[in-house]
Amino acid sequence: MIKKRINKLRYKFLKYGIDGYVVPKNDEFFSEYSNKDRLKFISNFTGSAGYAIILKNKNYLFVDGRYTIQARNQSGKKFKVITIPVKFPKDVLKFKKETVIGFDPRLHTEKQLNSFFNIKNIKLRSIKQNLVDLVWQNKKVSSVKPFFTISSKNTGATSLKKVTQVQNILFKNKVDYLFVTAPENVAWILNIRGKDGPNSPVPNSRLIVSKTKKIFLISKIYKVKKLIKEKIISSKDLIDIKDFSKKIIQLKGKNFIVDDKSCSIFYEDIINSKFKIVKREDPTYLFKAIKNKTEIKNMIDAHILDGAALT
């Protein structure tokens, strides 16, 4: 089964002019726990972290020390298993002539790819269509689960207050917009949750916050109907994922803060087509780290329940 899938993937190499393809564990939102487990599909590896490199006549599976034995058991017949950080791609991928490696720009950050593939004779090629998806015929389609809100009584702060915190950072750094790419940060700012992950209530979405406190939620429209109905966000402030490029061009301003650890090459290229990008960590991480009285109380209550359940 795995051999057949790999051969189907390799068949696509000729069409796209590549010699290999990278298949990471993460999805478009950089989650380890995704309904789109492309790495499992192509390699049979079920661990929570890793990535595969499929070449014309050889396959590599890179995993950390937790999964070395598991990876060999699950994928060792078709893949050479490499343990990181003992070895990285630069240590094993050595080519005498130029070798083109394809990748899906939605699944990688520029920083990540440069650290993996800054290797002599390797050229990276962005391919917007995911090649694993093209050979994944009977992929299970997950049911639609809408986003929902949580009360400021439970969060200790309104969404408006949190947006104001972001606004202050934008003014301080003389930047027009913040692009929030981590779904957990979108959840914190808007006081919303979702059911897109099996273990935590993340709402798979992205958010733009302007220095004028204007917000734009980037998501699939059918996931936010409840938020529109509850007036958490206006329909005119919603950007459907497929319309992102068009909407970005319509925004006024000069620059964007983009977190290079969670913003994919795909979105960075779109923003960079009009705006200057200021690369720095999303300030939401620091805001979240400072807990208010309500959050502290809820954390204590949660630990008591968790401890009792474990006991």
Side-chain angles (χ1 to χ4, degrees):
M1 183 68 76
I2 297 300
K3 182 179 180 180
K4 187 177 180 180
R5 292 172 181 176
I6 292 172
N7 287 339
K8 283 184 177 180
L9 179 62
R10 284 176 173 156
Y11 184 73
K12 303 289 181 183
F13 288 6
L14 185 61
K15 177 180 178 181
Y16 292 95
I18 58 176
D19 303 298
Y21 192 69
V22 188
V23 183
K25 172 70 178 184
N26 61 274
D27 64 6
E28 292 85 343
F29 294 92
F30 294 91
S31 170
E32 295 176 338
Y33 303 99
S34 169
N35 293 320
K36 298 179 182 177
D37 196 341
R38 299 179 176 98
L39 184 59
K40 177 184 175 183
F41 173 81
I42 205 67
S43 70
N44 205 42
F45 172 64
T46 60
S48 66
Y51 56 95
I53 300 174
I54 315 291
L55 300 173
K56 287 181 177 179
N57 49 24
K58 198 163 189 177
N59 309 310
Y60 293 95
L61 177 60
F62 291 84
V63 299
D64 62 53
R66 295 173 297 169
Y67 295 121
T68 304
I69 296 173
Q70 177 182 332
R72 286 172 182 163
N73 289 338
Q74 293 180 330
S75 314
K77 291 182 179 180
K78 300 298 178 186
F79 287 80
K80 182 174 178 58
V81 177
I82 307 293
T83 302
I84 50 177
V86 178
K87 289 185 178 180
F88 287 98
K90 65 181 180 180
D91 300 313
V92 296
L93 300 181
K94 300 184 186 298
F95 304 104
K96 293 182 179 179
K97 60 180 182 179
E98 184 178 86
T99 301
V100 182
I101 305 291
F103 69 94
D104 183 341
R106 293 173 174 83
L107 306 182
H108 302 271
T109 66
E110 183 180 23
K111 188 174 184 179
Q112 176 199 57
L113 278 186
N114 285 339
S115 66
F116 286 170
F117 297 104
N118 186 16
I119 308 171
K120 183 180 179 181
N121 292 331
I122 284 188
K123 179 181 179 182
L124 294 173
R125 177 164 296 166
S126 174
I127 301 172
K128 290 185 178 180
Q129 177 66 60
N130 188 282
L131 301 192
V132 175
D133 289 351
L134 291 180
V135 301
W136 196 343
Q137 297 297 326
N138 299 313
K139 182 166 53 178
K140 182 180 178 181
V141 179
S142 57
S143 58
V144 176
K145 296 175 181 177
F147 300 157
F148 58 94
T149 59
I150 53 175
S151 169
S152 58
K153 291 181 180 179
N154 292 322
T155 63
T158 64
S159 176
L160 181 60
K161 182 178 179 180
K162 294 175 180 180
V163 170
T164 301
Q165 286 181 269
V166 174
Q167 180 191 38
N168 292 337
I169 291 293
L170 294 175
F171 273 126
K172 183 178 179 180
N173 289 275
K174 298 180 180 179
V175 177
D176 297 306
Y177 300 96
L178 167 67
F179 187 38
V180 183
T181 40
E184 64 270 21
N185 290 351
V186 178
W188 185 85
I189 293 173
L190 295 184
N191 288 341
I192 65 173
R193 300 293 186 267
K195 298 179 181 179
D196 293 317
N199 305 310
S200 58
V202 292
N204 279 350
S205 56
R206 299 174 180 87
L207 185 70
I208 295 172
V209 182
S210 79
K211 66 180 181 182
T212 61
K213 292 200 285 192
K214 183 79 172 173
I215 61 173
F216 298 94
L217 182 63
I218 300 101
S219 172
K220 293 179 179 178
I221 292 176
Y222 51 76
K223 283 193 172 188
V224 298
K225 287 183 178 179
K226 190 174 181 181
L227 302 186
I228 294 173
K229 187 176 181 180
E230 295 178 4
K231 297 183 179 180
I232 302 301
I233 190 165
S234 168
S235 58
K236 65 181 181 180
D237 297 330
L238 173 67
I239 300 177
D240 191 290
I241 293 172
K242 65 179 183 295
D243 296 327
F244 185 79
S245 299
K246 183 172 62 177
K247 294 293 184 180
I248 282 292
I249 297 299
Q250 295 172 1
L251 294 179
K252 296 179 180 179
K254 296 181 179 179
N255 45 24
F256 257 85
I257 287 179
V258 167
D259 192 327
D260 61 2
K261 293 190 295 295
S262 62
C263 182
S264 69
I265 293 171
F266 175 79
Y267 284 102
E268 192 172 314
D269 284 348
I270 292 173
I271 293 172
N272 199 36
S273 67
K274 180 177 179 180
F275 296 90
K276 179 183 177 181
I277 288 179
V278 179
K279 291 189 177 181
R280 57 161 291 175
E281 185 177 72
D282 181 348
T284 311
Y285 288 112
L286 181 58
F287 298 151
K288 290 193 306 179
I290 303 171
K291 307 300 181 186
N292 59 47
K293 291 181 180 179
T294 302
E295 288 173 321
I296 292 171
K297 179 184 180 300
N298 288 341
M299 288 177 70
I300 293 171
D301 291 345
H303 277 79
I304 291 171
L305 292 170
D306 177 69
L310 180 62
T311 302

